[in-house]
Amino acid sequence: MSSLNSLMNIGNSALSSTQTAIHTTGNNIANMNTVGYSRQNVLFEDRYAQCGIPGTLGQGVNVQGIYRNFNRFLENSYLDRFSQQNRWSEQNNILETVEAVFNEANSDGINNAMNNFFNGWNTLVTNDLDASRIDLLSNAQQLSSVITNSAQSLKDMQHEMESYIAQSVDEINELIENIKDLNKQISMHSGAGENPNQLLDARDIKVRDLASLIDIDVIQREGDFTILTKSGHTLVQGADSSFSLKVGGDRIEKHLKNPNDPKSYKGTIEISGSSSHEYLFEIVTPPATGKNGTMRVSLDGGKSWVKDDAGKILEVEIPEQPSTQNNPFPIYLNDTNITVSFTNGDPTTLVQGDRFEAITKTSVYWVDPTREPLNVTPMVMGDGTDNTNRLTGGKLSAYFNVKDATIGSYLERLDALSKSLTWEVNSLHSIGSNKTMTEVMGTYKAGYADKPLGKNTSGLDFYNRLTEGNLSFQIYKNGKTASDDGVLVDQPVFSQIQFDPQKDSLQDIAQQITACYTDQNYTYLTASVTADNRLSLKAAEGYSFIVADDTSGLLAALGINTFFTGSTASDLAVNDIIAQDTDRINRGKVQPYGNNTEGDHSVASNMWDLSTKQVKISTPWETRKDQTLSDYYGSTVSLVGTDKRTAQFNTDYNTTLAEDLDAQCSAISGVNIDEEMINLIKYQHSYTAAAKLITTADEMMQTLLSLKQ
Amino acid sequence: MFRVTQRTMYSNMTNQMNSNLSAYMDSQMQGSTMKKVNKPSDDPAGMARILKYRNTIDRAVQMEQNSDAALGWLQLADSTLSKTVSSTITEIKTLAEQAATGTYTAEQRNIIGDNIRQQLETLLNAANNRYEDKTIFGGQNYNDSAFEMGLGVTATSWGKDGVEATQPNPPFQVSGNLTKSIKIRFPSEDDKTANESADLKVGTIFEWYDFSSTAKEEKDRWMTGTVRSGENESLVLEVGNANTGKATLTLPAIVDRGTNSEPMVPGQFRHQQTLKIKEYAEDVTKKEDDATYLYVRPAVIYQGDDNNALTRVDQLGMQVNEYATVVDGNGTTKQVTAQIKTKSPSNIQIQVTGVDSTTNTMTFSYSVDNGKTWVQDNTAEITNTTAHLDLPNGGYVDIAGADQLAADDFISVRNVEAEVSGRFSDNIQIKFPKDADIVTNNLDFAYSVDNGKTWIEHNTAKIESNKNARLILPGGYVDITAADMIKAGNQMVLRPQRTDVSFTVLEGQTITVNNVGKDIFGGLYTDEYGTTLNAMYDQDDDQSKLNWEQRSPNTFEVIGRLIGYCETNNQNGIQRALEALDVSQKKVLSYATDIGGKENRLESTLTMLGDKKYNDEARVSSMEDIDVTELMINLIQRQTAYQTVLQSSSMIMQLNLAQYL
């Protein structure tokens, strides 16, 4: 049976519940714009009913709890997309800056400078004037500076990326720590009837922050809250977690085929130079005593192997002797600037299948205190897809992709362009002549004076461009005036300097040259090897010389009578000899008899034609022979544009999806003012009604009490 | 139904405004640059094409400039030849016609000679004409003058090696300066035996005519001189005095030049040149042809470079001089190894006359001129089965396996030699990938025209029975002797003398803008060995010298001789020169026609280039330039879109339930 007291109690419960509801509604309105705030709802339940006559009577209302409107599934879908959106939009932003380096649409860049350079040669063909030479020199200097500046800008961006990477990894580690702490607090407060909504919201905000940096999977089971990277590496597991990420630099890993064999290779490898790639070396033929071995190289963890110019898998020679400080035996890879040496062990103990991983760039590792750090650096494979065993999303991936895959490949292309430009120009220039020389020193160094120049162990930048061939000089007895070249001296000995890149070393070639220009009474031309392994040519007192011919490319590779120095986009420069004396610009070739004729312009016209000639250009990934230098640069610009476009497209695509998912999340968790207004009115009315109930009960009580009078 | 929250609404509105505004700004950017491709990502593939077209246009502009420059060179050459040169020759002809008249006196001819000298100056200036400070008739040697005034020698009735010469210029080199031409004759010692043929040698007495002399008697005006020896076994004649000016005539020694591929060391193998002269005798010599007269007269000497110099062949990697074939008395062939330790001569035939095994000596005769002359009775020592054969000039041949030789063995030491025919514009490299196949008599070779960068492989030459092979190359061919001796890895480099200044006027098309002056004007020139040669003469059909002289197209030489004949009062000579002037004028005009043809070609090239450039520019424009109409429509569309978003957003923002409560 109902009692008036219980009626009061019902009113009381209704009043306080409604007040809670109004409070919650108010809180919702207040947090309308709070980031990460999830709309909260009050869940009412009716109190236990009393059984009696005439029936069951309700006992009022109870607030069961305040719940937040949140959908884990939607949130997880959003996180995936959010990671990608962040990665691409960040990539897109950075590429906008990179694109400016290659912007040829409205400004003059490398393409224009290259054209001016080639046109300068044509001007020298038609106008053989000092002014044309000076003009050409300044065009060449402009070309080299615009290329080196572009390379420098790209490198600066890479450095910037490195600082972003370090910051991001710090942020990630802090977030991991925060989430771990929140997990602890949440589990403490998740008792019966307790809903730590703020803590949950706070944690979800942190998780979103984490997802903006890397790609993650969130698994919530019972009370356990676990975060993994997409590639499956745990970052947070409940309240106790000691996982983290770490930025690392150079690293060498040895994976021997028979690690337990006591006779296996004890040493390690050393790698120098920096590159945007991770290298994997695999022994193909182990070195044996008296015989060099070979290894192959992969840039994508063994998925594909670096090929040589002919399209076959490149096999790099390994010397049989161990490398020491005095004897480093660097191995030059196909057109890259990396050198490898086998140290502290006997290379003949290597066996086929032994692998070495080498990293010479900033990388990120997943640290599990119980294990070795694991490399999770984002990586783009040879076919352009992401390596899914590594990080693939978030800003951190953007920084790595931009640094290694994007800018890295542009730099490689610029390097390849500079290398081919230098080689082609130098090989044309080295066989030309304009003025006799009395002394000249090569600009390119070999690693060794006694190793065959055409092998990767020679240490010569252009070792792989040398071919079997021969060279000859013409010797002049000096004239009386400076402008007079003097009289051609008949070659004292039949000229036959023959060069075999697989056999002849710098010393051999120096000896051959000297021997060739020595007769019974005189050495007209002396070739020697300098202390830093460059070739030096010096004519005898009163004599001078001119390059007559070279079919081997040796002079171009050694930097004798050349136009450019350097072999990468970063060190491309005009040869000092030419910069100081424009008369050293070779316009033509020497005539077979007599003196140099000033009217020959075969070198200059060949240079101009170089702009339309298809040349060999190779990066570690590929070798092309069907493009001109300008075409190659054009395709590079096009590649930059395509990359930017792809980033733009992916940004748009992922942003749309992410926004849609965010809208869906927001549809559940977000605050709608109108709705809250309705609730407010609703609860206000409830409150008024509840108050009315108490008033009514009071009146009833008064009525009852008045009965006594 | 989708639940719309304020957060969604506001962020949506912001996004929409942003995207519309950014599209609007893109259009605005296109409007400001008038380009639709403003950065590579606007049209990545299009960007590459735009760059390619820009390069093509750049090249076309360069080729236009080249054509312009070429036109400048050619027009100057054309007007020089067809106007100045031709009219000057006509004037000289008029003067020569007068001088050829029988009634003219020596004094009158002298004055005409003076006039012609001045006309020759005009011609010389024309031939030295410069375009932009570069000589247009000097080949590639264009900083120096193409021609210089000098002295030359014409002779009558002279001979060489016992045969009467078929050209008027004996091989003298003349230096010095004469105000007028001088005549030289060689008096007979006894003054009786005229027409006597004698060798010009040291001590030969000669007489020269002193035109400045005031002596009354004609014969007193002849001064006497003696031939003396000069440097390097040359013969020297000195004429003139303070009034006439002085000239030195040098007859240089003959230098054995060795072979094309293996030039000699200068100074080696030099021998005195012999000239046959007919002596003069007062009573007997009536006609000019009866005795040798030397006319020292003005000549124009070509200083530029020429393209009939030999193409130099550098043989590389060939172990030359080490092949020898022995044919014994029965005709059987065997091979022995010979090593020659001197550069020349390169081909040696050795006839073994006896081998004495007790004294270890071998007697032999040898020939260094392919068997023409033999040096008999030589003895060689055999040490350890190697015979050591001494040759002149410190050279020697070592023959291995000499103990197997017997009398009557004929040893032929052969060398791979190359002779080139044709004109090549640039160096050609030849390599032999494998040994000469002596079974099928095939010689494989590869050649490169870009300095060894790319090779044209799998060419085969046939080795003939005389062991020669002809390698066909673009522009000519190379004949190789002892081709069966070629070994794998041998290389050759052909290095032609080049004279052309040529500009690229269309892709793959060049035009030569200069000329080799000696091919047009003639004159004298010095070849690569330092020998003075007549720049051109017809060697065809009838080689009788008078006929030849009348047919000479060598303008400068004809005029030089004409002056000489005028100043020495030789009417016959003047007549011969007069006839030749017609021929030489034709030659000059035919060159002018050639050049005119080139000019025409250039004119049409320029039109073509202009058209091509216009086309390419239109194409680039269509790729990178904005279509203004389209842009305006876009701008309006985007403006409208932006306005719509702004308007609708502001309307939605205003709405709120709270307002109605």
Side-chain angles (χ1 to χ4, degrees):
Chain A
M1 187 192 136
S2 156
S3 76
L4 276 175
N5 262 345
S6 66
L7 202 60
M8 289 286 247
N9 279 344
I10 291 174
N12 186 26
S13 76
L15 264 184
S16 66
S17 301
T18 320
Q19 199 175 331
T20 310
I22 290 176
H23 188 103
T24 308
T25 306
N27 193 42
N28 278 346
I29 293 171
N31 282 302
M32 189 173 71
N33 295 317
T34 308
V35 176
Y37 178 78
S38 303
R39 177 169 58 105
Q40 293 175 4
N41 272 358
V42 180
L43 193 65
F44 299 105
E45 63 170 6
D46 59 344
R47 285 183 179 169
Y48 285 114
Q50 268 186 349
C51 291
I53 298 163
T56 314
L57 285 174
Q59 293 294 312
V61 67
N62 252 349
V63 174
Q64 197 197 33
I66 301 168
Y67 294 96
R68 57 184 195 129
N69 287 274
F70 185 81
N71 186 323
R72 184 83 257 162
F73 172 74
L74 272 181
E75 179 70 14
N76 281 356
S77 311
Y78 173 71
L79 286 179
D80 286 358
R81 213 33 81 186
F82 186 57
S83 273
Q84 292 306 318
Q85 184 209 343
N86 268 287
R87 169 187 166 178
W88 286 109
S89 69
E90 196 68 13
Q91 207 154 319
N92 188 32
N93 289 341
I94 303 165
L95 285 184
E96 206 152 309
T97 335
V98 178
E99 196 183 15
V101 175
F102 292 94
N103 196 357
E104 301 267 344
N106 298 319
S107 56
D108 293 339
I110 293 176
N111 190 61
N112 187 59
M114 207 142 66
N115 267 347
N116 287 346
F117 170 67
F118 288 128
N119 291 343
W121 285 103
N122 184 47
T123 312
L124 191 58
V125 170
T126 49
N127 295 311
D128 181 14
L129 304 169
D130 274 349
S132 308
R133 285 172 184 274
I134 292 164
D135 204 33
L136 172 63
L137 174 66
S138 85
N139 284 341
Q141 281 166 336
Q142 203 194 342
L143 173 62
S144 69
S145 81
V146 70
I147 290 179
T148 47
N149 284 344
S150 300
Q152 193 52 50
S153 313
L154 293 178
K155 284 191 171 166
D156 288 348
M157 280 179 221
Q158 283 186 325
H159 281 303
E160 210 174 320
M161 290 306 114
E162 271 168 16
S163 65
Y164 287 166
I165 286 165
Q167 277 170 26
S168 305
V169 168
D170 284 349
E171 258 175 75
I172 290 167
N173 287 335
E174 203 181 310
L175 286 169
I176 292 174
E177 203 63 25
N178 289 340
I179 294 170
K180 194 176 76 183
D181 290 345
L182 283 166
N183 275 350
K184 200 188 270 174
Q185 289 181 44
I186 289 166
S187 70
M188 270 162 53
H189 291 96
S190 291
E194 259 190 306
N195 278 322
N197 285 337
Q198 290 104 313
L199 292 176
L200 291 172
D201 277 351
R203 185 173 68 186
D204 284 323
I205 293 170
K206 296 288 179 196
V207 172
R208 279 196 177 197
D209 285 350
L210 190 60
S212 78
L213 293 168
I214 46 172
D215 50 319
I216 49 167
D217 269 335
V218 176
I219 301 167
Q220 192 167 23
R221 212 178 291 119
E222 301 295 308
D224 246 7
F225 189 83
T226 310
I227 300 176
L228 308 145
T229 63
K230 282 273 176 210
S231 48
H233 305 299
T234 313
L235 296 176
V236 178
Q237 193 165 31
D240 46 34
S241 148
S242 41
F243 303 105
S244 63
L245 295 185
K246 189 184 87 182
V247 179
D250 296 3
R251 206 159 89 123
I252 306 287
E253 278 177 39
K254 182 162 81 165
H255 303 288
L256 295 182
K257 205 172 173 205
N258 314 314
N260 300 324
D261 186 344
K263 279 187 284 183
S264 66
Y265 181 62
K266 297 285 185 300
T268 179
I269 62 167
E270 262 169 35
I271 187 159
S272 65
S274 83
S275 156
S276 304
H277 296 293
E278 290 175 18
Y279 289 92
L280 173 70
F281 304 109
E282 190 184 273
I283 307 298
V284 179
T285 329
T289 311
K291 192 175 154 285
N292 289 350
T294 58
M295 63 180 188
R296 53 184 182 168
V297 187
S298 170
L299 303 179
D300 55 6
K303 201 177 166 201
S304 63
W305 301 95
V306 173
K307 305 223 167 54
D308 64 10
D309 293 350
K312 287 189 301 191
I313 289 175
L314 175 77
E315 291 196 358
V316 181
E317 265 193 34
I318 318 166
E320 38 146 339
Q321 297 100 319
S323 305
T324 61
Q325 195 140 38
N326 301 326
N327 196 18
F329 274 114
I331 295 166
Y332 290 73
L333 301 177
N334 194 22
D335 272 357
T336 68
N337 301 306
I338 289 283
T339 61
V340 186
S341 32
F342 285 79
T343 49
N344 301 324
D346 181 4
T348 56
T349 57
L350 289 163
V351 295
Q352 187 197 347
D354 280 353
R355 284 183 167 203
F356 297 88
E357 276 178 50
I359 299 170
T360 56
K361 65 191 188 76
T362 307
S363 308
V364 62
Y365 297 93
W366 173 66
V367 185
D368 175 345
T370 60
R371 277 192 268 178
E372 274 281 293
L374 191 77
N375 187 0
V376 291
T377 318
M379 184 193 223
V380 176
M381 316 283 266
D383 56 7
T385 57
D386 289 328
N387 183 343
T388 50
N389 294 327
R390 303 286 181 85
L391 298 177
T392 54
K395 288 181 186 165
L396 186 63
S397 300
Y399 300 141
F400 271 109
N401 277 328
V402 168
K403 179 173 84 74
D404 296 339
T406 319
I407 298 184
S409 74
Y410 304 159
L411 264 175
E412 270 169 6
R413 281 178 150 253
L414 274 189
D415 280 346
L417 178 76
S418 318
K419 192 158 194 174
S420 287
L421 174 78
T422 309
W423 175 254
E424 297 296 335
V425 168
N426 281 352
S427 53
L428 285 177
H429 197 265
S430 66
I431 53 164
S433 63
N434 195 58
K435 203 161 118 177
T436 58
M437 296 177 272
T438 51
E439 192 172 4
V440 68
M441 173 118 56
T443 58
Y444 295 108
K445 285 182 215 172
Y448 305 91
D450 54 352
K451 302 259 177 296
L453 287 168
K455 295 199 171 186
N456 58 31
T457 43
S458 73
L460 194 65
D461 279 335
F462 290 103
Y463 77 91
N464 58 351
R465 309 241 176 178
L466 291 169
T467 53
E468 204 177 330
N470 43 66
L471 54 148
S472 59
F473 300 89
Q474 272 177 208
I475 313 284
Y476 293 85
K477 190 162 175 60
N478 275 355
K480 290 189 177 61
T481 60
S483 63
D484 185 4
D485 285 331
V487 184
L488 177 70
V489 175
D490 269 317
Q491 316 286 306
V493 176
F494 201 51
S495 61
Q496 36 179 319
I497 310 167
Q498 259 199 309
F499 175 68
D500 181 348
Q502 298 305 315
K503 288 195 196 114
D504 291 333
S505 70
L506 203 53
Q507 273 171 0
D508 297 340
I509 209 73
Q511 274 166 14
Q512 267 204 62
I513 293 174
T514 310
C516 185
Y517 295 99
T518 302
D519 67 6
Q520 50 268 54
N521 24 13
Y522 222 69
T523 296
Y524 297 89
L525 180 63
T526 311
S528 54
V529 180
T530 64
D532 58 352
N533 294 326
R534 296 192 284 171
L535 187 70
S536 161
L537 297 176
K538 194 170 189 299
E541 189 67 35
Y543 288 87
S544 58
F545 66 98
I546 268 180
V547 176
D549 206 11
D550 175 17
T551 57
S552 62
L554 187 70
L555 296 178
L558 294 176
I560 285 175
N561 201 19
T562 49
F563 192 88
F564 283 122
T565 59
S567 59
T568 64
S570 307
D571 61 4
L572 177 72
V574 175
N575 197 342
D576 280 347
I577 298 171
I578 282 171
Q580 285 156 12
D581 179 4
T582 51
D583 279 345
R584 287 270 166 239
I585 295 176
N586 297 339
R587 187 169 171 270
K589 288 198 276 264
V590 68
Q591 294 277 23
Y593 297 98
N595 287 355
N596 228 351
T597 43
E598 60 271 15
D600 185 42
H601 53 63
S602 51
V603 169
S605 9
N606 284 342
M607 285 287 189
W608 188 52
D609 285 339
L610 188 57
S611 67
T612 55
K613 206 177 123 196
Q614 293 180 347
V615 298
K616 184 182 106 175
I617 304 173
S618 55
T619 63
W621 286 116
E622 57 166 5
T623 292
R624 300 286 302 264
K625 282 182 180 163
D626 56 348
Q627 281 182 318
T628 67
L629 289 166
S630 311
D631 283 354
Y632 187 76
Y633 179 70
S635 70
T636 305
V637 172
S638 173
L639 177 73
V640 174
T642 312
D643 281 349
K644 169 71 175 60
R645 257 205 165 185
T646 310
Q648 180 69 55
F649 171 81
N650 279 325
T651 307
D652 291 350
Y653 171 75
N654 285 304
T655 304
T656 313
L657 288 185
E659 273 173 4
D660 187 51
L661 283 166
D662 189 34
Q664 285 187 44
C665 290
S666 176
I668 289 166
S669 307
V671 177
N672 179 320
I673 301 180
D674 298 342
E675 203 178 274
E676 298 304 324
M677 282 296 146
I678 292 167
N679 281 343
L680 197 60
I681 305 288
K682 182 172 83 181
Y683 293 131
Q684 198 186 359
H685 282 291
S686 299
Y687 191 84
T688 317
K692 188 73 187 166
L693 181 64
I694 290 171
T695 321
T696 310
D698 181 47
E699 280 172 10
M700 282 166 74
M701 190 67 88
Q702 292 300 332
T703 311
L704 199 63
L705 286 175
S706 68
L707 283 179
K708 193 181 163 198
Q709 287 167 338
Chain B
M1 193 199 69
F2 200 67
R3 207 177 144 265
V4 179
T5 68
Q6 258 64 30
R7 208 167 66 196
T8 319
M9 200 172 79
Y10 282 111
S11 70
N12 273 353
M13 285 191 292
T14 322
N15 285 343
Q16 283 158 5
M17 279 183 221
N18 255 334
S19 65
N20 275 298
L21 190 58
S22 101
Y24 193 24
M25 289 317 287
D26 274 354
S27 292
Q28 197 272 340
M29 169 82 171
Q30 290 181 342
S32 77
T33 60
M34 290 316 253
K35 280 185 178 165
K36 60 185 170 195
V37 183
N38 284 302
K39 46 189 191 308
S41 57
D42 285 344
D43 184 357
M47 192 72 223
R49 285 180 67 204
I50 290 167
L51 290 182
K52 202 169 167 57
Y53 271 108
R54 278 193 203 163
N55 296 345
T56 316
I57 294 170
D58 249 28
R59 258 185 96 83
V61 171
Q62 291 292 318
M63 286 189 281
E64 271 184 343
Q65 288 172 6
N66 293 356
S67 306
D68 264 345
L71 208 52
W73 283 74
L74 294 175
Q75 279 169 347
L76 181 64
D78 190 0
S79 70
T80 305
L81 291 182
S82 56
K83 295 193 186 122
T84 322
V85 174
S86 183
S87 63
T88 311
I89 295 177
T90 309
E91 270 182 57
I92 294 174
K93 260 159 64 182
T94 319
L95 290 167
E97 270 163 23
Q98 292 172 16
T101 315
T103 52
Y104 266 55
T105 62
E107 194 51 41
Q108 283 168 316
R109 291 204 173 103
N110 228 329
I111 291 165
I112 289 176
D114 255 1
N115 278 340
I116 299 177
R117 267 182 193 266
Q118 276 158 32
Q119 300 292 349
L120 183 60
E121 280 296 328
T122 315
L123 272 188
L124 180 69
N125 285 338
N128 278 335
N129 225 339
R130 282 166 183 264
Y131 181 76
E132 285 182 347
D133 209 30
K134 311 288 177 207
T135 314
I136 58 173
F137 296 118
Q140 287 186 349
N141 204 357
Y142 59 30
N143 283 346
D144 303 324
S145 291
F147 292 93
E148 265 175 24
M149 201 58 113
L151 291 172
V153 177
T154 309
T156 53
S157 297
W158 65 282
K160 216 170 149 184
D161 300 331
V163 183
E164 187 157 338
T166 55
Q167 51 162 309
N169 288 10
F172 282 104
Q173 285 172 359
V174 196
S175 63
N177 220 334
L178 292 177
T179 53
K180 256 184 198 142
S181 308
I182 280 183
K183 201 150 72 160
I184 299 172
R185 64 186 186 194
F186 302 92
S188 168
E189 269 177 52
D190 51 12
D191 213 18
K192 295 263 156 40
T193 11
N195 306 350
E196 196 176 29
S197 190
D199 280 337
L200 186 71
K201 55 180 186 284
V202 176
T204 304
I205 308 283
F206 64 88
E207 286 178 339
W208 61 276
Y209 184 77
D210 179 4
F211 53 80
S212 68
S213 167
T214 49
K216 282 253 171 62
E217 288 288 314
E218 174 75 10
K219 69 174 179 32
D220 293 339
R221 295 189 181 173
W222 288 92
M223 304 290 149
T224 308
T226 314
V227 176
R228 65 169 176 86
S229 70
E231 268 184 11
N232 293 330
E233 301 184 40
S234 58
L235 297 177
V236 177
L237 286 74
E238 282 165 324
V239 295
N241 55 31
N243 296 326
T244 60
K246 284 182 181 175
T248 310
L249 283 69
T250 312
L251 188 65
I254 295 227
V255 177
D256 188 336
R257 285 165 188 169
T259 62
N260 181 17
S261 58
E262 200 181 0
M264 301 276 272
V265 177
Q268 247 175 339
F269 310 107
R270 191 179 267 130
H271 57 86
Q272 216 170 60
Q273 208 164 168
T274 53
L275 269 192
K276 290 283 179 198
I277 46 168
K278 274 190 203 165
E279 290 179 344
Y280 169 86
E282 181 76 48
D283 304 328
V284 187
T285 305
K286 298 289 176 221
K287 284 196 311 209
E288 190 190 341
D289 286 353
D290 291 344
T292 299
Y293 286 96
L294 300 182
Y295 298 89
V296 186
R297 39 81 190 174
V300 177
I301 296 152
Y302 183 61
Q303 304 290 322
D305 62 359
D306 62 272
N307 49 20
N308 36 2
L310 296 165
T311 292
R312 188 188 183 114
V313 183
D314 289 344
Q315 281 157 274
L316 298 141
M318 292 190 188
Q319 293 302 311
V320 288
N321 302 333
E322 75 168 18
Y323 317 108
T325 320
V326 179
V327 181
D328 67 16
N330 306 323
T332 320
T333 308
K334 56 187 171 184
Q335 293 269 337
V336 292
T337 310
Q339 278 263 278
I340 302 182
K341 293 290 172 163
T342 183
K343 279 160 53 72
S344 193
S346 52
N347 283 10
I348 303 170
Q349 274 84 36
I350 298 166
Q351 179 80 52
V352 181
T353 49
V355 177
D356 187 340
S357 56
T358 52
T359 56
N360 264 337
T361 51
M362 161 180 142
T363 48
F364 65 99
S365 19
Y366 69 90
S367 165
V368 295
D369 53 4
N370 290 319
K372 262 189 227 162
T373 56
W374 287 87
V375 183
Q376 312 275 349
D377 299 330
N378 302 281
T379 310
E381 272 183 34
I382 302 173
T383 327
N384 294 332
T385 75
T386 300
H388 182 84
L389 282 62
D390 278 314
L391 295 177
N393 299 305
Y396 60 88
V397 185
D398 280 343
I399 298 176
D403 54 334
Q404 290 169 32
L405 296 172
D408 290 342
D409 275 357
F410 183 78
I411 306 171
S412 149
V413 181
R414 289 182 302 147
N415 185 11
V416 179
E417 272 177 51
E419 186 108 18
V420 187
S421 300
R423 276 193 73 180
F424 305 97
S425 54
D426 206 345
N427 294 2
I428 295 187
Q429 286 77 28
I430 301 171
K431 68 178 180 190
F432 302 95
K434 39 188 178 190
D435 293 355
D437 190 335
I438 46 169
V439 179
T440 60
N441 278 328
N442 279 334
L443 178 62
D444 272 16
F445 67 99
Y447 63 88
S448 166
V449 292
D450 56 1
N451 210 54
K453 281 222 148 65
T454 53
W455 291 90
I456 292 112
E457 285 170 329
H458 309 303
N459 305 286
T460 308
K462 196 87 198 152
I463 302 173
E464 307 294 336
S465 55
N466 58 5
K467 305 302 178 199
N468 287 0
R470 177 168 288 187
L471 316 186
I472 309 289
L473 299 168
Y477 55 83
V478 185
D479 281 330
I480 296 180
T481 63
D484 55 325
M485 302 296 187
I486 299 275
K487 295 277 176 283
N490 286 168
Q491 296 204 4
M492 283 184 178
V493 185
L494 311 189
R495 293 169 53 212
Q497 186 86 15
R498 301 171 301 269
T499 55
D500 290 356
V501 172
S502 50
F503 301 157
T504 307
V505 292
L506 272 180
E507 218 57 80
Q509 257 191 53
T510 57
I511 200 155
T512 304
V513 299
N514 68 339
N515 284 284
V516 175
K518 76 171 183 55
D519 293 346
I520 303 175
F521 304 101
L524 299 178
Y525 83 106
T526 309
D527 72 0
E528 67 265 22
Y529 301 110
T531 315
T532 304
L533 297 174
N534 197 339
M536 49 179 156
Y537 51 93
D538 281 334
Q539 278 184 316
D540 60 0
D541 50 55
D542 187 4
Q543 291 202 337
S544 103
K545 79 179 165 186
L546 292 184
N547 188 28
W548 178 85
E549 207 183 334
Q550 286 149 359
R551 292 159 46 92
S552 170
N554 187 329
T555 311
F556 278 142
E557 273 300 274
V558 168
I559 297 171
R561 284 198 298 270
L562 176 62
I563 294 169
Y565 294 140
C566 282
E567 289 173 350
T568 57
N569 192 21
N570 181 340
Q571 194 197 344
N572 284 340
I574 295 171
Q575 263 164 359
R576 290 198 297 271
L578 183 58
E579 279 181 58
L581 273 174
D582 272 333
V583 182
S584 51
Q585 191 174 27
K586 265 185 209 141
K587 179 107 187 170
V588 169
L589 286 176
S590 84
Y591 264 91
T593 316
D594 270 4
I595 292 167
K598 280 188 189 167
E599 282 174 73
N600 288 341
R601 211 179 95 204
L602 265 181
E603 305 272 2
S604 59
T605 302
L606 271 170
T607 322
M608 263 167 76
L609 280 172
D611 287 352
K612 188 175 152 37
K613 201 176 76 176
Y614 177 78
N615 272 340
D616 287 348
E617 273 168 356
R619 238 173 281 175
V620 172
S621 169
S622 79
M623 276 186 286
E624 69 173 348
D625 290 348
I626 195 80
D627 178 341
V628 181
T629 326
E630 205 177 301
L631 174 69
M632 291 322 285
I633 294 171
N634 272 344
L635 267 172
I636 291 167
Q637 272 177 352
R638 283 171 179 175
Q639 193 183 15
T640 316
Y642 186 46
Q643 273 173 344
T644 313
V645 172
L646 287 180
Q647 202 169 10
S648 61
S649 300
S650 71
M651 280 160 69
I652 294 171
M653 271 190 275
Q654 280 164 13
L655 289 177
N656 192 333
L657 182 60
Q659 290 169 334
Y660 301 94
L661 289 173

